[in-house]
């Protein structure tokens, strides 16, 4: 039996969703192979939480815990932290230094994909199309005329490094820009402003399944709100249709692009890339490397359509990490 630390929580606005993802992993772990430990990672404490909700501190020197005088170490880490420090490379680098295998990509890939601006810049030479964008850093002069001239209206204002659609606004008039920029700065000191792409939004899961890079069935996202925001993602304000209602040719095309991105970046573990298809051309918005793993989340939905159970999905991730 292998001891598996399931890390969850984190330091960002996404910590609540991460706790749900982490508990799903814990509940669906194959108990004939693994002993799961829920590890809460917060700024103020790193603790192992047992089934009675008792907390035992984690020794950060070797990522161990001591319960009733017995020291517990871990064979592998299942990373279920959305946002910092789980999705931006910090935990990945820490575990690499300690020599503990973990289920997500390596630290460089995590840091790169978490930074939307840098990710899209790296993928551009590989023929992957993106929206027209304008960058701002906190303290920069905001020239609304220049921004609108470049990206047009409506446009999207997003924090460069955050997830779950926190801090994102759809801006319809130039007057709304400064307000949207302030909202985005609450999540990050860097901003990306993107042209509005009017098309079909799809989400493409790519995983390494049993040693083979596999594109999962594609999900089409139809939001009741203006865009696929927090409410649409988590409060049921959207339709998620798997497989997507797109042609077989487009399914193959967008899948091939998502797979190319995964391979170019030398990814490992889970990835979920978001695209908007405009005039038969997929445009990439971002890539998530610790996508939601709640039973309602997109990767579990896609795996189910592919005939992969949650238990298989999680076992596969851990076994690949242990190799």
């Amino acid at each position: 039996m292998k001891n598996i630390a399931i890390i969850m929580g984190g330091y960002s606005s996404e910590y609540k969703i991460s706790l749900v993802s982490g508990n799903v992993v814990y509940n669906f772990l194959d108990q004939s192979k693994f002993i799961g430990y829920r590890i809460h990672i917060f700024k103020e404490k790193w603790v192992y939480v047992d089934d009675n909700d008792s907390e035992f501190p984690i020794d950060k020197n070797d990522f161990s815990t001591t319960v009733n005088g017995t020291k517990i170490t871990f064979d592998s880490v299942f990373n279920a932290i959305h946002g910092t420090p789980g999705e931006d490379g910090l935990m990945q680098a820490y575990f690499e230094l300690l020599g503990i295998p973990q289920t997500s990509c390596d630290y460089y890939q995590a840091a790169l994909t978490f930074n939307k601006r840098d990710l899209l810049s790296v993928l551009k030479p590989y023929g992957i199309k993106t929206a027209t964008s304008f960058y701002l850093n906190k303290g920069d002069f905001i020239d609304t005329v220049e921004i609108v001239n470049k990206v047009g209206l409506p446009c999207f204002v997003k924090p460069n490094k955050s997830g779950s659609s926190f801090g994102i606004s759809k801006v319809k008039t130039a007057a709304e820009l400064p307000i949207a920029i302030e909202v985005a700065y609450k999540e990050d000191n860097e901003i990306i402003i993107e042209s509005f792409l009017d098309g079909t939004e799809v989400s493409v899961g790519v995983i390494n399944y049993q040693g083979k890079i596999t594109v999962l069935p594609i999900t089409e996202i139809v939001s009741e709100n203006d865009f696929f925001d927090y409410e649409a993602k988590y409060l049921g304000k959207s339709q998620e249709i798997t497989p997507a209602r797109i042609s077989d040719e487009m399914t193959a095309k967008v899948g091939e692009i998502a797979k190319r991105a995964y391979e170019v970046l030398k990814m490992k573990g889970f990835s979920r890339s978001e695209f908007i298809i405009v005039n038969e051309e997929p445009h990439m918005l971002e890539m998530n490397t610790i996508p939601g793993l709640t039973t309602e989340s997109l990767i579990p939905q896609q795996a189910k359509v592919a005939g992969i159970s949650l238990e298989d999905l999680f076992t596969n991730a851990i076994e690949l990490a242990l190799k």
Side-chain angles (χ1 to χ4, degrees):
M1 297 283 277
K2 300 278 189 194
N3 287 349
I4 308 300
I6 303 161
I7 59 172
M8 57 187 96
Y11 303 170
S12 79
S13 310
E14 296 187 81
Y15 79 91
K16 285 182 182 161
I17 301 145
S18 169
L19 291 174
V20 178
S21 285
N23 278 303
V24 169
V25 175
Y26 179 70
N27 291 328
F28 282 90
L29 216 53
D30 182 344
Q31 292 178 353
S32 67
K33 294 180 177 173
F34 309 120
I35 304 167
Y37 293 83
R38 292 179 300 170
I39 311 292
H40 287 193
I41 305 280
F42 291 114
K43 272 187 183 145
E44 63 281 6
K45 60 180 181 183
W46 290 21
V47 290
Y48 156 53
V49 181
D50 72 8
D51 288 339
N52 303 316
D53 287 335
S54 301
E55 295 187 351
F56 303 88
I58 293 289
D59 181 346
K60 292 184 188 176
N61 293 298
D62 61 358
F63 198 69
S64 65
T65 188
T66 302
V67 179
N68 305 330
T70 305
K71 179 171 173 168
I72 298 167
T73 58
F74 302 104
D75 298 293
S76 178
V77 171
F78 195 110
N79 186 348
I81 296 177
H82 313 308
T84 188
E87 201 165 5
D88 58 1
L90 294 175
M91 296 303 293
Q92 287 86 343
Y94 168 74
F95 291 123
E96 187 161 319
L97 287 171
L98 292 179
I100 302 174
Q102 50 94 36
T103 54
S104 78
C105 60
D106 292 335
Y107 66 92
Y108 169 73
Q109 283 77 359
L112 176 69
T113 50
F114 198 64
N115 186 314
K116 296 182 184 81
R117 305 194 315 201
D118 290 359
L119 168 71
L120 298 173
S121 304
V122 167
L123 291 176
K124 224 170 206 162
Y126 294 94
I128 295 174
K129 294 185 167 57
T130 62
T132 304
S133 57
F134 189 99
Y135 300 163
L136 277 178
N137 294 338
K138 199 155 196 171
D140 286 356
F141 175 68
I142 299 165
D143 184 336
T144 50
V145 175
E146 189 189 359
I147 295 168
V148 171
N149 280 346
K150 183 160 188 203
V151 301
L153 289 169
C155 64
F156 281 103
V157 178
K158 307 176 179 180
N160 187 33
K161 302 183 294 290
S162 91
S164 292
S165 303
F166 284 111
I168 296 188
S169 307
K170 183 176 179 182
V171 171
K172 293 166 185 164
T173 66
E176 292 169 27
L177 258 178
I179 304 155
I181 288 167
E182 277 312 304
V183 169
Y185 277 144
K186 287 197 173 79
E187 297 289 331
D188 189 19
N189 57 8
E190 298 174 350
I191 288 180
I192 181 168
I193 303 173
E194 291 182 328
S195 60
F196 171 61
L197 295 172
D198 195 5
T200 305
E201 182 163 356
V202 294
S203 190
V204 190
V206 180
I207 60 172
N208 182 330
Y209 191 66
Q210 296 171 351
K212 182 170 177 276
I213 296 173
T214 305
V215 180
L216 294 171
I218 293 169
T219 302
E220 177 185 346
I221 291 157
V222 184
S223 177
E224 285 174 32
N225 294 359
D226 248 354
F227 64 99
F228 194 44
D229 61 5
Y230 181 88
E231 279 194 318
K233 276 184 182 157
Y234 302 108
L235 308 176
K237 295 279 182 112
S238 68
Q239 270 184 294
E240 293 157 10
I241 301 159
T242 314
R245 301 168 300 182
I246 54 178
S247 69
D248 292 350
E249 295 78 33
M250 185 51 66
T251 299
K253 185 173 186 176
V254 72
E256 195 272 321
I257 293 170
K259 187 178 178 198
R260 189 188 322 153
Y262 190 97
E263 291 170 335
V264 159
L265 298 172
K266 300 185 175 64
M267 286 292 299
K268 294 197 306 222
F270 299 96
S271 86
R272 202 189 74 223
S273 299
E274 318 300 332
F275 292 88
I276 292 183
I277 302 164
V278 185
N279 302 330
E280 300 298 302
E281 284 295 342
H283 292 65
M284 190 171 188
L285 299 177
E286 61 177 318
M287 181 189 279
N288 300 287
T289 60
I290 314 275
L293 295 170
T294 69
T295 45
E296 290 80 47
S297 295
L298 296 175
I299 290 267
Q301 282 184 40
Q302 294 171 3
K304 192 175 173 185
V305 173
I308 303 169
S309 69
L310 283 179
E311 189 176 280
D312 285 347
L313 193 67
F314 301 151
T315 297
N316 176 70
I318 294 165
E319 287 178 343
L320 284 174
L322 288 167
K323 271 182 187 152

PDB file of all heavy atoms in Angstrom, residues 156 163-170 201 221 223-238 240:
ATOM      1  N   PHE A 156     -12.375  41.618 -23.048  1.00  0.00           N
ATOM      2  CA  PHE A 156     -12.281  40.985 -21.735  1.00  0.00           C
ATOM      3  C   PHE A 156     -11.063  41.506 -20.991  1.00  0.00           C
ATOM      4  O   PHE A 156      -9.982  41.605 -21.563  1.00  0.00           O
ATOM      5  CB  PHE A 156     -12.156  39.462 -21.870  1.00  0.00           C
ATOM      6  CG  PHE A 156     -13.470  38.804 -22.144  1.00  0.00           C
ATOM      7  CD1 PHE A 156     -13.799  38.372 -23.417  1.00  0.00           C
ATOM      8  CD2 PHE A 156     -14.394  38.638 -21.130  1.00  0.00           C
ATOM      9  CE1 PHE A 156     -15.019  37.763 -23.677  1.00  0.00           C
ATOM     10  CE2 PHE A 156     -15.624  38.041 -21.371  1.00  0.00           C
ATOM     11  CZ  PHE A 156     -15.939  37.598 -22.652  1.00  0.00           C
ATOM     12  N   GLY A 163      -7.322  31.931 -11.522  1.00  0.00           N
ATOM     13  CA  GLY A 163      -8.193  30.956 -12.162  1.00  0.00           C
ATOM     14  C   GLY A 163      -9.629  31.096 -11.720  1.00  0.00           C
ATOM     15  O   GLY A 163      -9.987  32.033 -11.000  1.00  0.00           O
ATOM     16  N   SER A 164     -10.460  30.158 -12.161  1.00  0.00           N
ATOM     17  CA  SER A 164     -11.883  30.115 -11.805  1.00  0.00           C
ATOM     18  C   SER A 164     -12.623  31.390 -12.186  1.00  0.00           C
ATOM     19  O   SER A 164     -13.644  31.712 -11.589  1.00  0.00           O
ATOM     20  CB  SER A 164     -12.066  29.830 -10.318  1.00  0.00           C
ATOM     21  OG  SER A 164     -11.665  28.523 -10.038  1.00  0.00           O
ATOM     22  N   SER A 165     -12.087  32.128 -13.156  1.00  0.00           N
ATOM     23  CA  SER A 165     -12.712  33.357 -13.653  1.00  0.00           C
ATOM     24  C   SER A 165     -12.801  34.457 -12.596  1.00  0.00           C
ATOM     25  O   SER A 165     -13.562  35.399 -12.731  1.00  0.00           O
ATOM     26  CB  SER A 165     -14.106  33.081 -14.226  1.00  0.00           C
ATOM     27  OG  SER A 165     -14.021  32.120 -15.240  1.00  0.00           O
ATOM     28  N   PHE A 166     -12.009  34.352 -11.520  1.00  0.00           N
ATOM     29  CA  PHE A 166     -11.982  35.449 -10.548  1.00  0.00           C
ATOM     30  C   PHE A 166     -11.364  36.683 -11.196  1.00  0.00           C
ATOM     31  O   PHE A 166     -10.342  36.593 -11.871  1.00  0.00           O
ATOM     32  CB  PHE A 166     -11.161  35.053  -9.311  1.00  0.00           C
ATOM     33  CG  PHE A 166     -11.885  34.126  -8.382  1.00  0.00           C
ATOM     34  CD1 PHE A 166     -11.488  32.811  -8.239  1.00  0.00           C
ATOM     35  CD2 PHE A 166     -12.990  34.574  -7.660  1.00  0.00           C
ATOM     36  CE1 PHE A 166     -12.163  31.949  -7.386  1.00  0.00           C
ATOM     37  CE2 PHE A 166     -13.671  33.715  -6.809  1.00  0.00           C
ATOM     38  CZ  PHE A 166     -13.260  32.398  -6.669  1.00  0.00           C
ATOM     39  N   GLY A 167     -11.992  37.846 -10.985  1.00  0.00           N
ATOM     40  CA  GLY A 167     -11.419  39.108 -11.448  1.00  0.00           C
ATOM     41  C   GLY A 167     -11.590  39.397 -12.922  1.00  0.00           C
ATOM     42  O   GLY A 167     -11.049  40.371 -13.434  1.00  0.00           O
ATOM     43  N   ILE A 168     -12.373  38.557 -13.647  1.00  0.00           N
ATOM     44  CA  ILE A 168     -12.567  38.775 -15.088  1.00  0.00           C
ATOM     45  C   ILE A 168     -13.820  39.613 -15.328  1.00  0.00           C
ATOM     46  O   ILE A 168     -14.846  39.388 -14.681  1.00  0.00           O
ATOM     47  CB  ILE A 168     -12.710  37.434 -15.847  1.00  0.00           C
ATOM     48  CG1 ILE A 168     -11.412  36.634 -15.726  1.00  0.00           C
ATOM     49  CG2 ILE A 168     -13.050  37.658 -17.317  1.00  0.00           C
ATOM     50  CD1 ILE A 168     -11.370  35.386 -16.580  1.00  0.00           C
ATOM     51  N   SER A 169     -13.743  40.563 -16.231  1.00  0.00           N
ATOM     52  CA  SER A 169     -14.925  41.346 -16.618  1.00  0.00           C
ATOM     53  C   SER A 169     -15.041  41.381 -18.137  1.00  0.00           C
ATOM     54  O   SER A 169     -14.035  41.431 -18.845  1.00  0.00           O
ATOM     55  CB  SER A 169     -14.815  42.800 -16.147  1.00  0.00           C
ATOM     56  OG  SER A 169     -14.536  42.879 -14.773  1.00  0.00           O
ATOM     57  N   LYS A 170     -16.286  41.390 -18.607  1.00  0.00           N
ATOM     58  CA  LYS A 170     -16.540  41.666 -20.026  1.00  0.00           C
ATOM     59  C   LYS A 170     -16.897  43.146 -20.106  1.00  0.00           C
ATOM     60  O   LYS A 170     -17.820  43.601 -19.434  1.00  0.00           O
ATOM     61  CB  LYS A 170     -17.690  40.803 -20.537  1.00  0.00           C
ATOM     62  CG  LYS A 170     -17.944  40.993 -22.031  1.00  0.00           C
ATOM     63  CD  LYS A 170     -19.020  40.050 -22.528  1.00  0.00           C
ATOM     64  CE  LYS A 170     -19.294  40.235 -24.013  1.00  0.00           C
ATOM     65  NZ  LYS A 170     -20.367  39.349 -24.484  1.00  0.00           N
ATOM     66  N   GLU A 201     -17.381  28.212 -27.698  1.00  0.00           N
ATOM     67  CA  GLU A 201     -16.359  27.963 -26.677  1.00  0.00           C
ATOM     68  C   GLU A 201     -16.297  26.468 -26.367  1.00  0.00           C
ATOM     69  O   GLU A 201     -17.322  25.831 -26.122  1.00  0.00           O
ATOM     70  CB  GLU A 201     -16.663  28.750 -25.399  1.00  0.00           C
ATOM     71  CG  GLU A 201     -15.593  28.549 -24.345  1.00  0.00           C
ATOM     72  CD  GLU A 201     -15.597  29.600 -23.227  1.00  0.00           C
ATOM     73  OE1 GLU A 201     -16.392  30.556 -23.280  1.00  0.00           O
ATOM     74  OE2 GLU A 201     -14.798  29.433 -22.300  1.00  0.00           O
ATOM     75  N   ILE A 221     -19.204  24.779 -24.171  1.00  0.00           N
ATOM     76  CA  ILE A 221     -19.706  25.558 -23.047  1.00  0.00           C
ATOM     77  C   ILE A 221     -20.662  26.627 -23.557  1.00  0.00           C
ATOM     78  O   ILE A 221     -20.308  27.453 -24.397  1.00  0.00           O
ATOM     79  CB  ILE A 221     -18.534  26.201 -22.284  1.00  0.00           C
ATOM     80  CG1 ILE A 221     -17.747  25.091 -21.582  1.00  0.00           C
ATOM     81  CG2 ILE A 221     -19.039  27.202 -21.256  1.00  0.00           C
ATOM     82  CD1 ILE A 221     -16.358  25.425 -21.269  1.00  0.00           C
ATOM     83  N   SER A 223     -22.802  29.483 -21.911  1.00  0.00           N
ATOM     84  CA  SER A 223     -23.050  30.183 -20.648  1.00  0.00           C
ATOM     85  C   SER A 223     -24.341  30.983 -20.704  1.00  0.00           C
ATOM     86  O   SER A 223     -24.628  31.639 -21.701  1.00  0.00           O
ATOM     87  CB  SER A 223     -21.876  31.101 -20.336  1.00  0.00           C
ATOM     88  OG  SER A 223     -22.146  31.820 -19.159  1.00  0.00           O
ATOM     89  N   GLU A 224     -25.109  30.936 -19.606  1.00  0.00           N
ATOM     90  CA  GLU A 224     -26.301  31.804 -19.506  1.00  0.00           C
ATOM     91  C   GLU A 224     -25.859  33.233 -19.231  1.00  0.00           C
ATOM     92  O   GLU A 224     -26.552  34.181 -19.552  1.00  0.00           O
ATOM     93  CB  GLU A 224     -27.165  31.367 -18.305  1.00  0.00           C
ATOM     94  CG  GLU A 224     -27.956  30.106 -18.528  1.00  0.00           C
ATOM     95  CD  GLU A 224     -28.648  29.683 -17.231  1.00  0.00           C
ATOM     96  OE1 GLU A 224     -29.024  30.568 -16.428  1.00  0.00           O
ATOM     97  OE2 GLU A 224     -28.807  28.472 -17.036  1.00  0.00           O
ATOM     98  N   ASN A 225     -24.720  33.369 -18.555  1.00  0.00           N
ATOM     99  CA  ASN A 225     -24.197  34.695 -18.250  1.00  0.00           C
ATOM    100  C   ASN A 225     -23.461  35.207 -19.489  1.00  0.00           C
ATOM    101  O   ASN A 225     -23.387  34.525 -20.500  1.00  0.00           O
ATOM    102  CB  ASN A 225     -23.267  34.622 -17.034  1.00  0.00           C
ATOM    103  CG  ASN A 225     -24.035  34.250 -15.770  1.00  0.00           C
ATOM    104  OD1 ASN A 225     -25.245  34.078 -15.817  1.00  0.00           O
ATOM    105  ND2 ASN A 225     -23.339  34.129 -14.667  1.00  0.00           N
ATOM    106  N   ASP A 226     -22.891  36.399 -19.369  1.00  0.00           N
ATOM    107  CA  ASP A 226     -22.199  37.002 -20.510  1.00  0.00           C
ATOM    108  C   ASP A 226     -21.026  36.158 -20.979  1.00  0.00           C
ATOM    109  O   ASP A 226     -20.627  36.209 -22.126  1.00  0.00           O
ATOM    110  CB  ASP A 226     -21.667  38.389 -20.102  1.00  0.00           C
ATOM    111  CG  ASP A 226     -22.411  39.488 -20.836  1.00  0.00           C
ATOM    112  OD1 ASP A 226     -23.218  39.137 -21.701  1.00  0.00           O
ATOM    113  OD2 ASP A 226     -22.164  40.661 -20.544  1.00  0.00           O
ATOM    114  N   PHE A 227     -20.435  35.421 -20.070  1.00  0.00           N
ATOM    115  CA  PHE A 227     -19.310  34.548 -20.428  1.00  0.00           C
ATOM    116  C   PHE A 227     -19.221  33.462 -19.363  1.00  0.00           C
ATOM    117  O   PHE A 227     -20.005  33.443 -18.421  1.00  0.00           O
ATOM    118  CB  PHE A 227     -17.995  35.345 -20.554  1.00  0.00           C
ATOM    119  CG  PHE A 227     -17.521  35.992 -19.272  1.00  0.00           C
ATOM    120  CD1 PHE A 227     -16.543  35.399 -18.494  1.00  0.00           C
ATOM    121  CD2 PHE A 227     -18.052  37.210 -18.856  1.00  0.00           C
ATOM    122  CE1 PHE A 227     -16.110  35.991 -17.321  1.00  0.00           C
ATOM    123  CE2 PHE A 227     -17.613  37.814 -17.673  1.00  0.00           C
ATOM    124  CZ  PHE A 227     -16.639  37.205 -16.900  1.00  0.00           C
ATOM    125  N   PHE A 228     -18.264  32.554 -19.531  1.00  0.00           N
ATOM    126  CA  PHE A 228     -18.129  31.410 -18.617  1.00  0.00           C
ATOM    127  C   PHE A 228     -17.440  31.887 -17.343  1.00  0.00           C
ATOM    128  O   PHE A 228     -16.267  31.660 -17.118  1.00  0.00           O
ATOM    129  CB  PHE A 228     -17.322  30.309 -19.321  1.00  0.00           C
ATOM    130  CG  PHE A 228     -17.396  28.961 -18.647  1.00  0.00           C
ATOM    131  CD1 PHE A 228     -18.587  28.446 -18.175  1.00  0.00           C
ATOM    132  CD2 PHE A 228     -16.251  28.195 -18.509  1.00  0.00           C
ATOM    133  CE1 PHE A 228     -18.644  27.191 -17.577  1.00  0.00           C
ATOM    134  CE2 PHE A 228     -16.293  26.941 -17.916  1.00  0.00           C
ATOM    135  CZ  PHE A 228     -17.496  26.446 -17.440  1.00  0.00           C
ATOM    136  N   ASP A 229     -18.218  32.601 -16.484  1.00  0.00           N
ATOM    137  CA  ASP A 229     -17.643  33.182 -15.280  1.00  0.00           C
ATOM    138  C   ASP A 229     -17.799  32.223 -14.101  1.00  0.00           C
ATOM    139  O   ASP A 229     -18.179  31.066 -14.268  1.00  0.00           O
ATOM    140  CB  ASP A 229     -18.283  34.549 -14.983  1.00  0.00           C
ATOM    141  CG  ASP A 229     -19.794  34.443 -14.751  1.00  0.00           C
ATOM    142  OD1 ASP A 229     -20.326  33.317 -14.719  1.00  0.00           O
ATOM    143  OD2 ASP A 229     -20.431  35.492 -14.595  1.00  0.00           O
ATOM    144  N   TYR A 230     -17.511  32.709 -12.899  1.00  0.00           N
ATOM    145  CA  TYR A 230     -17.549  31.859 -11.697  1.00  0.00           C
ATOM    146  C   TYR A 230     -18.926  31.214 -11.523  1.00  0.00           C
ATOM    147  O   TYR A 230     -19.044  30.015 -11.295  1.00  0.00           O
ATOM    148  CB  TYR A 230     -17.187  32.700 -10.463  1.00  0.00           C
ATOM    149  CG  TYR A 230     -17.177  31.905  -9.188  1.00  0.00           C
ATOM    150  CD1 TYR A 230     -16.019  31.238  -8.778  1.00  0.00           C
ATOM    151  CD2 TYR A 230     -18.313  31.780  -8.400  1.00  0.00           C
ATOM    152  CE1 TYR A 230     -15.993  30.483  -7.618  1.00  0.00           C
ATOM    153  CE2 TYR A 230     -18.297  31.018  -7.231  1.00  0.00           C
ATOM    154  CZ  TYR A 230     -17.138  30.382  -6.849  1.00  0.00           C
ATOM    155  OH  TYR A 230     -17.130  29.621  -5.700  1.00  0.00           O
ATOM    156  N   GLU A 231     -19.990  32.025 -11.670  1.00  0.00           N
ATOM    157  CA  GLU A 231     -21.358  31.494 -11.516  1.00  0.00           C
ATOM    158  C   GLU A 231     -21.644  30.401 -12.535  1.00  0.00           C
ATOM    159  O   GLU A 231     -22.220  29.377 -12.225  1.00  0.00           O
ATOM    160  CB  GLU A 231     -22.390  32.618 -11.744  1.00  0.00           C
ATOM    161  CG  GLU A 231     -22.623  33.504 -10.568  1.00  0.00           C
ATOM    162  CD  GLU A 231     -23.888  34.346 -10.783  1.00  0.00           C
ATOM    163  OE1 GLU A 231     -24.114  34.849 -11.897  1.00  0.00           O
ATOM    164  OE2 GLU A 231     -24.640  34.466  -9.828  1.00  0.00           O
ATOM    165  N   ALA A 232     -21.221  30.669 -13.780  1.00  0.00           N
ATOM    166  CA  ALA A 232     -21.452  29.693 -14.849  1.00  0.00           C
ATOM    167  C   ALA A 232     -20.686  28.399 -14.555  1.00  0.00           C
ATOM    168  O   ALA A 232     -21.187  27.306 -14.779  1.00  0.00           O
ATOM    169  CB  ALA A 232     -21.024  30.277 -16.194  1.00  0.00           C
ATOM    170  N   LYS A 233     -19.463  28.553 -14.012  1.00  0.00           N
ATOM    171  CA  LYS A 233     -18.627  27.371 -13.758  1.00  0.00           C
ATOM    172  C   LYS A 233     -19.155  26.533 -12.603  1.00  0.00           C
ATOM    173  O   LYS A 233     -19.181  25.314 -12.673  1.00  0.00           O
ATOM    174  CB  LYS A 233     -17.194  27.803 -13.401  1.00  0.00           C
ATOM    175  CG  LYS A 233     -16.363  28.060 -14.625  1.00  0.00           C
ATOM    176  CD  LYS A 233     -14.925  28.387 -14.313  1.00  0.00           C
ATOM    177  CE  LYS A 233     -14.224  28.666 -15.640  1.00  0.00           C
ATOM    178  NZ  LYS A 233     -13.043  29.469 -15.543  1.00  0.00           N
ATOM    179  N   TYR A 234     -19.535  27.220 -11.506  1.00  0.00           N
ATOM    180  CA  TYR A 234     -19.783  26.469 -10.271  1.00  0.00           C
ATOM    181  C   TYR A 234     -21.225  26.525  -9.766  1.00  0.00           C
ATOM    182  O   TYR A 234     -21.598  25.759  -8.903  1.00  0.00           O
ATOM    183  CB  TYR A 234     -18.844  26.958  -9.158  1.00  0.00           C
ATOM    184  CG  TYR A 234     -17.405  26.804  -9.563  1.00  0.00           C
ATOM    185  CD1 TYR A 234     -16.626  27.905  -9.885  1.00  0.00           C
ATOM    186  CD2 TYR A 234     -16.840  25.540  -9.684  1.00  0.00           C
ATOM    187  CE1 TYR A 234     -15.314  27.752 -10.292  1.00  0.00           C
ATOM    188  CE2 TYR A 234     -15.530  25.376 -10.092  1.00  0.00           C
ATOM    189  CZ  TYR A 234     -14.774  26.483 -10.386  1.00  0.00           C
ATOM    190  OH  TYR A 234     -13.476  26.332 -10.796  1.00  0.00           O
ATOM    191  N   LEU A 235     -22.011  27.468 -10.265  1.00  0.00           N
ATOM    192  CA  LEU A 235     -23.364  27.607  -9.727  1.00  0.00           C
ATOM    193  C   LEU A 235     -24.426  27.251 -10.762  1.00  0.00           C
ATOM    194  O   LEU A 235     -25.559  27.709 -10.705  1.00  0.00           O
ATOM    195  CB  LEU A 235     -23.567  29.043  -9.188  1.00  0.00           C
ATOM    196  CG  LEU A 235     -22.487  29.509  -8.192  1.00  0.00           C
ATOM    197  CD1 LEU A 235     -22.701  30.955  -7.782  1.00  0.00           C
ATOM    198  CD2 LEU A 235     -22.464  28.628  -6.943  1.00  0.00           C
ATOM    199  N   GLY A 236     -23.993  26.456 -11.745  1.00  0.00           N
ATOM    200  CA  GLY A 236     -24.967  25.902 -12.688  1.00  0.00           C
ATOM    201  C   GLY A 236     -25.507  26.863 -13.725  1.00  0.00           C
ATOM    202  O   GLY A 236     -26.513  26.585 -14.368  1.00  0.00           O
ATOM    203  N   LYS A 237     -24.831  28.026 -13.909  1.00  0.00           N
ATOM    204  CA  LYS A 237     -25.352  29.004 -14.879  1.00  0.00           C
ATOM    205  C   LYS A 237     -24.785  28.754 -16.272  1.00  0.00           C
ATOM    206  O   LYS A 237     -24.490  29.679 -17.016  1.00  0.00           O
ATOM    207  CB  LYS A 237     -24.992  30.438 -14.430  1.00  0.00           C
ATOM    208  CG  LYS A 237     -25.642  30.880 -13.124  1.00  0.00           C
ATOM    209  CD  LYS A 237     -27.083  31.340 -13.355  1.00  0.00           C
ATOM    210  CE  LYS A 237     -27.708  31.831 -12.073  1.00  0.00           C
ATOM    211  NZ  LYS A 237     -27.976  33.239 -12.047  1.00  0.00           N
ATOM    212  N   SER A 238     -24.590  27.491 -16.608  1.00  0.00           N
ATOM    213  CA  SER A 238     -24.114  27.206 -17.962  1.00  0.00           C
ATOM    214  C   SER A 238     -24.524  25.791 -18.331  1.00  0.00           C
ATOM    215  O   SER A 238     -24.814  24.964 -17.478  1.00  0.00           O
ATOM    216  CB  SER A 238     -22.589  27.321 -18.040  1.00  0.00           C
ATOM    217  OG  SER A 238     -22.007  26.272 -17.297  1.00  0.00           O
ATOM    218  N   GLU A 240     -23.016  22.545 -20.169  1.00  0.00           N
ATOM    219  CA  GLU A 240     -21.754  21.954 -20.603  1.00  0.00           C
ATOM    220  C   GLU A 240     -22.118  20.696 -21.375  1.00  0.00           C
ATOM    221  O   GLU A 240     -22.701  19.772 -20.822  1.00  0.00           O
ATOM    222  CB  GLU A 240     -20.881  21.653 -19.387  1.00  0.00           C
ATOM    223  CG  GLU A 240     -20.435  22.942 -18.697  1.00  0.00           C
ATOM    224  CD  GLU A 240     -20.063  22.745 -17.247  1.00  0.00           C
ATOM    225  OE1 GLU A 240     -19.957  21.596 -16.811  1.00  0.00           O
ATOM    226  OE2 GLU A 240     -19.879  23.755 -16.550  1.00  0.00           O
TER     227      GLU A 240
END
